[in-house]
Amino acid sequence: MNKAITKAAVFGMAALMLAGCMPTAHKVDVLYNPLAVYRGGSGQITLVTEVAHQEQRASSPSIRWVLGQITDSDGAVRGDVISDYPPQSVIADAMKRELSAAGYRVDQTATRQDRQGRVVVLTAVTVALNEVASLAKLQASCNLVVKVELWNDGQVIKRSEYHSKLSDMAIKDRDVLPQQLFQGALAEIMQQAVPDIIRQFN
């Protein structure tokens, strides 16, 4: 009986320790390092991002963007995975870097103009970066979806949707795992999108 009580007390203390140590927010900011392996681009491209994101960012510079949730091993929500930057701007920055490295001159704007030549429009970005934390390990997953429209001289020439889904676990260096997954998913999206853009515009 005493052993059972002792075990229950130990598990109770462990649960309290986990709840006390569980972060209520984990900030993840990605500084994308371009792969710069794509070639064949030339001339001008306009990259258009969503106006609403830029306006909201400008009106409230202290805003935090929720990318996903932190849960414990029982599924209870303990906090949010957040970023200082909207996912749309992160994707736009990565795409601008890759297209520039491929040989294009990239002009980034908030709206598309009629008869604008070659235009890449980021129509939607969805990211779910979630963490499951326990005393023994951290499990994390990143699901990234990017929708793109390609325009040429005022006409849509292609609509595409690119997907990346990664997951992993860590016992040490837990804080860096979600960022690594986000970076990996972003690189996978670029590997799909950039060669596709080059093929359509050449």
Side-chain angles (χ1 to χ4, degrees), residues 49-161:
T49 56
E50 189 175 335
V51 177
H53 281 184
Q54 296 193 6
E55 289 178 345
Q56 189 171 359
R57 178 67 179 169
S59 63
S60 181
S62 62
I63 195 170
R64 296 294 183 268
W65 299 83
V66 177
L67 305 181
Q69 291 184 327
I70 305 169
T71 59
D72 61 22
S73 54
D74 293 325
V77 177
R78 300 296 185 181
D80 294 319
V81 182
I82 61 174
S83 174
D84 284 341
Y85 306 99
Q88 192 97 356
S89 68
V90 174
I91 300 298
D93 179 69
M95 190 165 287
K96 182 177 182 179
R97 289 169 181 262
E98 291 291 6
L99 291 173
S100 297
Y104 293 107
R105 298 189 308 275
V106 183
D107 179 28
Q108 189 171 346
T109 66
T111 57
R112 185 185 64 81
Q113 304 297 323
D114 291 337
R115 313 298 294 180
Q116 199 170 14
R118 298 180 295 183
V119 183
V120 179
V121 183
L122 296 180
T123 57
V125 173
T126 305
V127 57
L129 183 58
N130 296 311
E131 304 177 21
V132 180
S134 67
L135 284 174
K137 62 184 178 181
L138 176 74
Q139 295 174 292
S141 63
C142 183
N143 188 10
L144 183 59
V145 181
V146 177
K147 295 182 180 180
V148 174
E149 287 182 352
L150 301 183
W151 292 69
N152 195 2
D153 292 331
Q155 300 293 324
V156 178
I157 60 175
K158 189 172 185 180
R159 291 186 174 96
S160 301
E161 185 171 304

Side-chain angles (χ1 to χ4, degrees), residues 28-33 35 38 90-91 94 98 127 129 141-144 163-168 176-192:
V28 175
D29 290 326
V30 173
L31 297 175
Y32 182 72
N33 186 27
L35 302 171
Y38 311 108
V90 174
I91 300 298
E98 291 291 6
V127 57
L129 183 58
S141 63
C142 183
N143 188 10
L144 183 59
H163 297 258
S164 178
K165 189 172 183 179
L166 300 176
S167 61
D168 205 347
V176 301
L177 177 60
Q179 179 172 316
Q180 290 173 341
L181 289 179
F182 196 2
Q183 289 174 331
L186 185 52
E188 284 194 354
I189 294 294
M190 293 301 109
Q191 289 170 2
Q192 299 169 47

